[in-house]
Amino acid sequence: MGVPAFYRWLIQKYPKALVEATEETGVSIDTASPNPNGIEFDHLYLDMNGIIHPCFHPEDHPCPPKTFEDVFNNIFLYIDHLFSIVRPRKLLYMAIDGVAPRAKMNQQRSRLFRTAKDREIAEAEEDRLRIQFKMDGKPVLPKHECEVEDSNVITPGTEFMYKLSEALRSYISSRINNDPGWKDIKVILSDANVPGEGEHKIMSFVRQQRRVAGYNPDTRHCIYGLDADLIMLALATHEVHFSILREIGQQPVHESSNMANTSVLWVKKPYQFLHIWIFREYLELDMKISDDSDPPGNLTIDLERIVDDFILMCLLVGNDFLPHMPSLEIHEGALDLLMAVYKKEFKNLGGYLVDMSRLAEDKGTGYVKLSRVEKFILLVGLYEERIFKKRSELRERQLKRLCNYANNQDDYNGGRIMEIGTKNSSCVFFSEKAPAFRDSAMVSEENVSFPLVSDDAGSSEIVGNTKELNEILKSNLRKHNDLYMKGSCTDKVRFGNAGWKQRYYKEKFSAESSMDIENWRRELVANYTKGILWVLVYYYSGVPSWTWFYPYHYAPFASDMKGLAQVRVRFEKDSPFKPFDQLLAVLPPRSAHAVPKVYQTLMTDEQSSMIDLYPSDFDIDTDGKRFQWQGLCKLPFIEVGRLLSETKELEKNLSEAESERNRNSIDQLYLGRTHKLASQIFSLRPNPNEMVNIDTSLRCVCFEMIGGFMHIPCLLPGVNVPDKTITESDIMDAQLWHEVQVNRPTNRN
């Protein structure tokens, strides 16, 4: 997930870092021929979950997949196309999300519970519409159950993920044996049984390779993925020749010309490269220290250190492991604000915020200058009042505009909006007709799969009625998701109005007195600081602790981070969950079918000792939000001790096949039998007993990287940095969001 809206911010601020990818067309593409993009990439890394999800539940697809086999075929076509664009000459690394750190499971649990609730609400509304259509004498196509109804099965340990790994092994064998572009490359598959998030497994591999004797510092890397944090992770490697490939958000083009009769379709979109070396050029100019903030003492300006500080700023704006501070929204120019404060106050701060080169030698927190970070965040906190005031003014203006719009409609959602309040917590629309949905969770029409409509499905009348039902369903889901229009908008904290901080602590933490607020502030600052350190280490050195997590739903204010410098923490390197333990930690009861039968009663039986951890209904905090998807899902945190004590006994009843799905494994390396291993392969430690002959012309080796190497956060000796193309005239001067009179910052040359 990463930093919300970061990619949009980047392409608007640093547009020349992006280049449209050239794609060859045709039935048969020679991937061994020169790359039409003018760059010969050495390594291609695929963050596979960015491929699996759109192949499992494509948006607005006329013919979505019905079976696992359909999904697998879509994935193979997807990989083929990415391979034809990048054409790696040495290595293809495919990484599927395995068991995640405990810190990530809170976000996963929230997302999967919401997905299940979305489906429940959408199905209830569809059933209501079907009854209505039947009463009106309008026949529609019947519902069809299929294997791919529940996307929550895209989680380590499920039967779907196990079958996907088997399918990918066959796919790799076929391509190495039959595609000239695959013949001489190494292929690594890190499937869902290998612990770790896909993108972090990839970056760990890159960091380890940099320490191998004979590694070429001019190795050209390309990674495909949809998460914005890939950009920060690529920067953190300090590899210059790094590109990120991703789709451009435009209307998809369907490859097949016979859509009605094709059960599986792959949707093509245009792609673009984000070149990290150009992004670094932008940062070098845009992060230039101002004249009135010369470096202190004998400190010299080092781009690599500035890059590391920039990564810290990005993590403060948002990440998958901590709730972001209330005043730091990237669409409100938060990153521009952090950069401006950093440049202006660099001398007063005392220099750089982090020194990641000390991570290897310091087991404490010496790699972060906590006193400087505290001073920096408190300086950012000085802008909170102005940010909240601007946000409040815009919200009030928007509410009035929407109210005027709705009152000008003859009929809105079955009833007229009568009144709206904007001066207090009662900013609620009052409608004569209540909505037909339950109000307990977020609904997004993009997350709903609709019945397949085909001209072969029956009479044109039935097809037309079904299309009409689907359109009404989508429209109703959109209306349900809009809290302003639905009449469910609240604003209890009222940021920007006097007393907002006290109201925040009262509403979010039930803190009534000044002493309660101070106690909560200290507790939050201590845990949030640990979280910042955890995320920073994770980005540079791998998982510092598999079991640590931030134990609250909300973050402190930037202005409340006093005392950050006194926090001391030492993470213990423990072990990851087993796949089935993670399934129980993140899946909702509605997805209990995805876990082994012996585990299902823990999630569904009312007499289960853990049933309190699997609520069928839960609170979504949408206070101050317009859309339900913006709300915070307040689920109880999984209690690891209780969970593991239950599963320890149940594991004994697993079948052999289930036990195989529940094990943590290591990466698999695939080679053609005639392949000559490149020099870097000697950094691997193959186990001869685990050598597998896939067929007469292919071998598979299970391996682990040699441990003990620490990442070097700088350019490697001998690297050839590309000639610079970005100049001062390319840097946009962004006025701070709270200083302008429009919704977004105005960029001017």
Side-chain angles (χ1 to χ4, degrees), residues 408-668:
N408 287 331
Q409 306 301 305
D410 291 333
D411 180 53
Y412 178 79
N413 200 23
R416 288 181 55 78
I417 294 175
M418 307 299 294
E419 180 182 352
I420 181 171
T422 58
K423 295 296 184 182
N424 52 45
S425 62
S426 181
C427 55
V428 177
F429 290 99
F430 297 91
S431 174
E432 295 173 357
K433 183 176 180 180
F437 297 104
R438 296 171 59 188
D439 297 333
S440 56
M442 176 273 291
V443 171
S444 172
E445 70 275 10
E446 285 81 7
N447 293 334
V448 179
S449 296
F450 300 109
L452 174 66
V453 177
S454 168
D455 290 336
D456 298 332
S459 70
S460 59
E461 179 187 5
I462 294 177
V463 172
N465 291 340
T466 305
K467 289 181 178 179
E468 180 186 356
L469 184 147
N470 287 343
E471 290 303 315
I472 294 174
L473 178 58
K474 286 185 178 182
S475 176
N476 288 352
L477 293 180
R478 281 192 292 267
K479 292 176 183 177
H480 172 73
N481 197 28
D482 191 330
L483 298 173
Y484 284 4
M485 292 302 187
K486 195 177 67 166
S488 302
C489 164
T490 64
D491 188 9
K492 298 176 182 178
V493 175
R494 305 198 310 279
F495 288 119
N497 293 276
W500 52 265
K501 184 173 288 189
Q502 290 77 13
R503 287 191 296 273
Y504 178 81
Y505 280 100
K506 180 179 180 179
E507 292 294 331
K508 310 306 183 186
F509 301 100
S510 301
E512 298 288 347
S513 66
S514 298
M515 182 176 294
D516 289 340
I517 292 175
E518 176 60 16
N519 289 337
W520 270 112
R521 186 198 69 79
R522 291 179 179 178
E523 177 72 9
L524 293 174
V525 168
N527 281 278
Y528 204 81
T529 302
K530 292 177 184 177
I532 293 172
L533 297 174
W534 187 95
V535 177
L536 198 59
V537 175
Y538 188 33
Y539 270 59
Y540 281 84
S541 184
V543 180
S545 168
W546 285 94
T547 55
W548 180 88
F549 71 101
Y550 182 73
Y552 303 106
H553 292 296
Y554 303 97
F557 293 101
S559 58
D560 279 346
M561 292 299 287
K562 185 177 180 180
L564 178 157
Q566 279 69 55
V567 175
R568 296 293 179 266
V569 60
R570 182 167 296 185
F571 297 109
E572 296 296 331
K573 190 74 172 181
D574 39 29
S575 300
F577 276 28
K578 290 184 177 180
F580 289 169
D581 293 336
Q582 174 170 311
L583 287 178
L584 288 174
V586 302
L587 288 184
R590 187 182 175 96
S591 297
H593 62 87
V595 305
K597 288 186 178 180
V598 295
Y599 286 13
Q600 291 178 9
T601 55
L602 292 177
M603 307 169 66
T604 59
D605 190 337
E606 291 296 330
Q607 304 304 315
S608 167
S609 62
M610 295 177 56
I611 196 64
D612 57 303
L613 300 179
Y614 302 99
S616 58
D617 206 358
F618 45 87
D619 182 32
I620 302 287
D621 183 1
T622 57
D623 191 58
K625 308 298 183 183
R626 174 174 179 179
F627 299 104
Q628 291 207 33
W629 59 264
Q630 295 173 316
L632 187 147
C633 184
K634 296 178 68 174
L635 286 164
F637 296 118
I638 281 291
E639 298 176 36
V640 176
R642 289 173 61 191
L643 186 150
L644 296 182
S645 65
E646 294 283 350
T647 59
K648 185 177 181 180
E649 291 300 318
L650 292 176
E651 280 185 20
K652 301 174 184 178
N653 300 320
L654 294 174
S655 67
E656 184 176 347
E658 289 170 337
S659 296
E660 179 72 10
R661 283 164 44 197
N662 194 37
R663 67 181 180 88
N664 288 326
S665 63
I666 56 178
D667 290 353
Q668 299 167 351

Side-chain angles (χ1 to χ4, degrees), residues 35-62:
N35 193 314
N37 290 284
I39 300 176
E40 293 299 331
F41 290 100
D42 297 301
H43 297 177
L44 170 60
Y45 312 97
L46 302 180
D47 182 9
M48 290 294 295
N49 283 61
I51 296 174
I52 298 169
H53 278 280
C55 289
F56 191 101
H57 47 88
E59 295 180 10
D60 297 323
H61 204 293

